[in-house]
């Protein structure tokens, strides 16, 4: 069984940002991996929100994610193409509640060979006969989960995109604990604000669920609480207005509460006029994921702290 183990050691007994740059070794099944503490260039990062429906504590998230590799569950994206979480490592750095500051997720994708190879010179087919669990085109990526903010980040340039990672984690986490986890991309905050502050809101269609614990406005907190109490998996909300009688947005409104919940826990599609004389615009937040632009970081811990600063 794969377990999360510590991989980073501080350069002194105090746990600060001064880390030894050294080779780190860790094992998974019979395979040993070697890696060097990374430095990260300035770049763009996609963000995924993971929410447990019950027991929303960091230790629960850590335990569930660490169990995925031992299930050997591979998510099939399209026929013959798979994504799998094969290894998880936990930092030695701890939060006040003893949860690790971050997890490193090693993810691979691969595909099955079917049919035959073709020799153009001899016009001959060479049938492929490989063992059933041998695949081709293996690619590797890393993602980083931060338990204290229940967010996972992956570099936008990685070979595995965040949208695919959402599907894989949704299936794998709910294999570990049936119907327990919701996984979604975090939506762009400015796009949410465009909806809330539009001159006219003609309609909205939202698919939302309740959130993880955190800061929220009064009305959003009330709506969030009622969704939790109902124990509904999700709520679909459709509101219709018109140019003569538009929906009322703005501060502490129902529109604001729904839109803000959808930022991390669903999607919203809105028909709006941003200004009095502008044309109608349709905004679908599923097409506007949040992307973090993060400055150069000299260690993974520094990168994680930069990500946390966006959400705390």
């Amino acid at each position: 069984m794969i377990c999360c183990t510590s991989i980073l050691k501080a350069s002194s007994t105090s746990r600060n940002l001064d880390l030894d740059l050294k080779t780190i070794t860790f094992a998974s099944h019979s395979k040993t991996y070697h890696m060097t503490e990374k430095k990260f260039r300035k770049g763009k990062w996609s963000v995924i929100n993971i929410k447990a429906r019950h027991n929303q504590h960091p230790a629960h998230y850590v335990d569930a994610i660490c169990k995925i590799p031992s299930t050997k569950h591979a998510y099939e994206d399209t026929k013959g193409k798979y994504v799998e979480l094969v290894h998880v490592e936990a930092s030695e750095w701890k939060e006040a509640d003893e949860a690790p500051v971050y997890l490193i997720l090693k993810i691979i994708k691969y595909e099955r060979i079917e049919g035959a190879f073709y020799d153009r010179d001899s016009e001959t087919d060479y049938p492929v006969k490989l063992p059933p669990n041998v695949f081709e085109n293996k690619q590797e990526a890393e993602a980083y989960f931060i338990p204290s903010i229940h967010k996972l980040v992956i570099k936008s340039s990685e070979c595995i995109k965040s949208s695919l990672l959402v599907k894989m984690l949704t299936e794998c986490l709910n294999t570990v604990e049936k119907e327990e986890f919701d996984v979604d991309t975090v939506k762009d905050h400015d796009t949410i604000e465009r909806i809330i502050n539009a001159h006219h809101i003609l309609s909205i269609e939202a698919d939302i669920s309740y959130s993880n614990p955190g800061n929220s406005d009064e009305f959003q907190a009330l709506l969030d609480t009622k969704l939790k109490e109902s124990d509904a998996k999700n709520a679909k909300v459709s509101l219709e207005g018109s140019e003569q009688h538009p929906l009322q947005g703005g501060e502490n409104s129902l529109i604001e509460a729904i839109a803000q919940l959808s930022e991390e826990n669903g999607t919203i599609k809105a028909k709006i006029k941003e200004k009095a004389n502008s044309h109608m615009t349709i905004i679908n937040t599923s097409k506007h994921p949040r992307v973090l632009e993060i400055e150069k970081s000299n260690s993974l811990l520094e990168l994680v702290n930069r990500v946390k600063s966006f959400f705390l």
Side-chain angles (χ1 to χ4, degrees):
M1 179 177 178
I2 298 173
C3 61
C4 297
T5 55
S6 60
I7 62 168
L8 287 181
K9 300 203 179 285
S11 59
S12 67
T13 55
S14 63
R15 296 181 181 274
N16 53 37
L17 292 178
D18 297 323
L19 302 178
D20 292 329
L21 297 180
K22 63 176 187 175
T23 299
I24 300 162
T25 303
F26 55 94
S28 173
H29 295 293
S30 60
K31 186 173 183 178
T32 300
Y33 298 93
H34 298 274
M35 61 183 290
T36 301
E37 171 62 9
K38 288 186 175 181
K39 293 184 178 182
F40 298 86
R41 295 178 180 178
K42 178 180 179 180
K44 296 181 178 180
W45 294 78
S46 300
V47 192
I48 293 171
N49 185 60
I50 300 178
K51 183 195 71 186
R53 299 185 59 77
H54 309 91
N55 185 15
Q56 295 179 330
H57 298 289
H60 183 206
Y61 293 97
V62 171
D63 180 64
I65 291 173
C66 285
K67 286 178 178 176
I68 291 175
S70 64
T71 69
K72 300 291 288 182
H73 185 84
Y75 170 73
E76 187 172 10
D77 179 35
T78 55
K79 186 177 180 180
K81 296 185 178 182
Y82 300 87
V83 183
E84 184 177 351
L85 173 57
V86 294
H87 191 77
V88 180
E89 284 291 327
S91 72
E92 185 178 281
W93 298 83
K94 304 292 185 183
E95 301 284 3
D97 60 2
E98 292 301 309
V101 173
Y102 57 81
L103 302 179
I104 299 176
L105 281 64
K106 181 180 177 61
I107 305 153
I108 62 173
K109 68 175 184 178
Y110 47 81
E111 56 188 283
R112 185 180 300 283
I113 299 175
E114 294 182 350
F117 289 104
Y118 176 67
D119 185 334
R120 293 178 60 200
D121 294 330
S122 63
E123 297 184 351
T124 303
D125 289 339
Y126 291 89
V128 177
K129 293 182 180 179
L130 293 173
N133 281 330
V134 175
F135 300 84
E136 68 169 345
N137 293 339
K138 177 188 172 186
Q139 293 178 283
E140 301 182 358
E142 276 190 1
Y144 310 106
F145 179 68
I146 308 171
S148 62
I149 58 172
H150 44 84
K151 300 287 189 298
L152 182 143
V153 294
I154 186 167
K155 205 158 191 179
S156 300
S157 59
E158 279 282 17
C159 62
I160 298 174
K161 300 305 178 186
S162 60
S163 56
L164 181 54
L165 202 50
V166 166
K167 296 174 185 177
M168 184 270 284
L169 287 170
T170 298
E171 186 168 290
C172 290
L173 283 168
N174 288 294
T175 297
V176 172
E177 293 185 49
K178 189 175 181 180
E179 296 184 359
E180 176 58 21
F181 291 94
D182 295 324
V183 185
D184 208 344
T185 53
V186 176
K187 309 307 184 296
D188 179 59
H189 181 74
D190 290 342
T191 301
I192 299 292
E193 289 296 308
R194 284 176 62 197
I195 296 172
I196 295 170
N197 298 317
H199 180 76
H200 278 176
I201 304 172
L202 305 179
S203 69
I204 67 166
E205 295 176 14
D207 189 345
I208 56 175
S209 64
Y210 59 83
S211 68
N212 279 287
N215 298 322
S216 58
D217 295 333
E218 181 180 354
F219 199 3
Q220 182 190 347
L222 177 62
L223 178 60
D224 194 23
T225 299
K226 294 303 181 184
L227 284 172
K228 283 188 176 83
E229 290 174 353
S230 72
D231 203 28
K233 186 177 187 303
N234 63 325
K236 295 187 177 182
V237 181
S238 180
L239 301 176
E240 293 284 342
S242 66
E243 289 198 43
Q244 290 73 34
H245 302 285
L247 301 173
Q248 299 302 306
E251 187 177 352
N252 210 27
S253 65
L254 176 61
I255 302 292
E256 181 189 53
I258 292 170
Q260 288 179 344
L261 271 180
S262 76
E263 186 171 341
E264 296 187 2
N265 303 279
T267 59
I268 186 169
K269 183 178 179 180
K271 293 181 181 179
I272 65 170
K273 291 182 69 173
E274 297 195 62
K275 297 179 180 179
N277 59 350
S278 62
H279 295 291
M280 182 186 72
T281 300
I282 298 177
I283 297 177
N284 188 339
T285 60
S286 66
K287 298 180 180 179
H288 297 273
R290 185 167 185 180
V291 177
L292 304 181
E293 294 197 25
I294 300 179
E295 297 297 320
K296 176 183 175 182
S297 302
N298 290 320
S299 69
L300 178 51
L301 183 60
E302 185 176 352
L303 173 73
V304 165
N305 285 331
R306 290 182 186 277
V307 173
K308 289 168 72 172
S309 70
F310 285 95
F311 298 97
L312 295 178

